[in-house]
Tab-separated table of all heavy atoms in Angstrom:
chain	number	residue	atom	x	y	z
A	958	HIS	N	119.599	64.058	97.811
A	958	HIS	CA	119.909	64.434	96.438
A	958	HIS	C	120.410	65.872	96.402
A	958	HIS	O	119.680	66.801	96.774
A	958	HIS	CB	118.678	64.295	95.548
A	958	HIS	CG	118.182	62.885	95.428
A	958	HIS	ND1	118.976	61.845	95.016
A	958	HIS	CD2	116.956	62.352	95.663
A	958	HIS	CE1	118.273	60.720	95.011
A	958	HIS	NE2	117.043	61.003	95.393
A	995	ALA	N	129.738	88.884	113.196
A	995	ALA	CA	129.888	89.951	112.210
A	995	ALA	C	128.619	90.142	111.401
A	995	ALA	O	128.200	91.270	111.126
A	995	ALA	CB	131.062	89.647	111.286
A	1020	GLY	N	122.127	95.911	92.905
A	1020	GLY	CA	120.884	96.015	93.657
A	1020	GLY	C	120.275	97.405	93.603
A	1020	GLY	O	120.781	98.308	92.937
A	1021	LEU	N	119.184	97.560	94.334
A	1021	LEU	CA	118.464	98.832	94.393
A	1021	LEU	C	118.247	99.290	95.831
A	1021	LEU	O	117.355	100.067	96.116
A	1021	LEU	CB	117.109	98.694	93.681
A	1021	LEU	CG	117.151	98.546	92.159
A	1021	LEU	CD1	115.794	98.098	91.618
A	1021	LEU	CD2	117.562	99.868	91.514
A	1027	PRO	N	111.069	98.749	107.753
A	1027	PRO	CA	110.766	98.987	109.173
A	1027	PRO	C	109.846	97.941	109.781
A	1027	PRO	O	109.022	97.327	109.097
A	1027	PRO	CB	110.084	100.358	109.149
A	1027	PRO	CG	109.484	100.460	107.794
A	1027	PRO	CD	110.425	99.742	106.873
A	1037	VAL	N	104.264	94.971	112.615
A	1037	VAL	CA	104.052	94.796	111.178
A	1037	VAL	C	105.378	95.038	110.466
A	1037	VAL	O	105.995	96.100	110.626
A	1037	VAL	CB	102.980	95.763	110.636
A	1037	VAL	CG1	102.895	95.666	109.109
A	1037	VAL	CG2	101.635	95.450	111.264
A	1055	CYS	N	117.987	88.180	93.880
A	1055	CYS	CA	118.650	86.880	93.765
A	1055	CYS	C	118.427	86.240	92.398
A	1055	CYS	O	119.356	85.668	91.817
A	1055	CYS	CB	118.155	85.947	94.868
A	1055	CYS	SG	118.607	86.471	96.547
A	1074	GLY	N	101.248	91.150	89.064
A	1074	GLY	CA	101.514	92.477	89.621
A	1074	GLY	C	102.884	92.650	90.223
A	1074	GLY	O	103.849	93.001	89.549
A	1079	SER	N	108.689	94.044	89.983
A	1079	SER	CA	110.002	93.910	90.589
A	1079	SER	C	111.009	93.311	89.620
A	1079	SER	O	112.145	93.795	89.491
A	1079	SER	CB	109.899	93.040	91.850
A	1079	SER	OG	111.162	92.844	92.439
A	1087	ALA	N	120.088	95.677	85.775
A	1087	ALA	CA	121.176	94.814	85.312
A	1087	ALA	C	121.441	94.960	83.813
A	1087	ALA	O	122.345	94.304	83.283
A	1087	ALA	CB	120.858	93.361	85.641
A	1099	THR	N	94.958	93.076	84.529
A	1099	THR	CA	96.001	93.683	85.343
A	1099	THR	C	95.636	95.132	85.654
A	1099	THR	O	95.222	95.879	84.763
A	1099	THR	CB	97.352	93.652	84.599
A	1099	THR	OG1	97.729	92.285	84.403
A	1099	THR	CG2	98.442	94.358	85.389
A	1113	VAL	N	108.786	94.345	78.145
A	1113	VAL	CA	107.842	93.960	77.101
A	1113	VAL	C	106.652	93.325	77.810
A	1113	VAL	O	106.766	92.233	78.379
A	1113	VAL	CB	108.470	92.963	76.118
A	1113	VAL	CG1	107.444	92.538	75.067
A	1113	VAL	CG2	109.702	93.566	75.451
A	1171	ALA	N	105.499	84.134	116.930
A	1171	ALA	CA	104.872	83.692	115.689
A	1171	ALA	C	105.045	84.755	114.619
A	1171	ALA	O	105.181	85.943	114.914
A	1171	ALA	CB	103.381	83.413	115.909
A	1183	PHE	N	108.358	80.134	103.239
A	1183	PHE	CA	109.517	79.264	103.381
A	1183	PHE	C	110.766	80.065	103.719
A	1183	PHE	O	111.553	79.679	104.586
A	1183	PHE	CB	109.737	78.483	102.085
A	1183	PHE	CG	111.000	77.665	102.064
A	1183	PHE	CD1	111.059	76.439	102.697
A	1183	PHE	CD2	112.132	78.137	101.417
A	1183	PHE	CE1	112.231	75.690	102.691
A	1183	PHE	CE2	113.310	77.404	101.399
A	1183	PHE	CZ	113.362	76.170	102.041
A	1192	LEU	N	119.309	80.975	111.870
A	1192	LEU	CA	119.703	81.651	113.107
A	1192	LEU	C	119.873	80.643	114.238
A	1192	LEU	O	120.805	80.741	115.048
A	1192	LEU	CB	118.662	82.698	113.481
A	1192	LEU	CG	118.633	83.944	112.598
A	1192	LEU	CD1	117.327	84.709	112.803
A	1192	LEU	CD2	119.822	84.842	112.895
A	1222	GLY	N	96.827	65.825	103.447
A	1222	GLY	CA	98.087	65.183	103.752
A	1222	GLY	C	98.986	65.053	102.544
A	1222	GLY	O	99.749	64.087	102.414
A	1247	GLY	N	105.846	75.506	101.299
A	1247	GLY	CA	104.922	75.968	102.323
A	1247	GLY	C	104.581	74.887	103.329
A	1247	GLY	O	104.509	75.142	104.539
A	1278	LEU	N	99.631	102.786	107.722
A	1278	LEU	CA	100.247	101.892	106.747
A	1278	LEU	C	99.256	101.602	105.615
A	1278	LEU	O	98.194	101.005	105.849
A	1278	LEU	CB	100.661	100.575	107.417
A	1278	LEU	CG	101.644	100.713	108.586
A	1278	LEU	CD1	101.849	99.376	109.269
A	1278	LEU	CD2	102.973	101.276	108.112
A	1283	SER	N	95.783	92.129	99.512
A	1283	SER	CA	96.474	90.856	99.756
A	1283	SER	C	97.518	90.990	100.850
A	1283	SER	O	97.751	90.053	101.622
A	1283	SER	CB	97.146	90.364	98.476
A	1283	SER	OG	96.213	90.112	97.452
A	1316	LYS	N	93.496	96.584	92.641
A	1316	LYS	CA	92.772	96.716	91.378
A	1316	LYS	C	92.020	98.037	91.279
A	1316	LYS	O	91.908	98.616	90.213
A	1316	LYS	CB	91.788	95.554	91.211
A	1316	LYS	CG	92.452	94.220	90.889
A	1316	LYS	CD	91.411	93.141	90.649
A	1316	LYS	CE	92.062	91.817	90.265
A	1316	LYS	NZ	91.054	90.762	90.019
Side-chain angles (χ1 to χ4, degrees):
H958 296 305
L1021 290 167
V1037 174
C1055 295
S1079 178
T1099 297
V1113 178
F1183 174 80
L1192 288 164
L1278 302 173
S1283 298
K1316 287 184 177 180

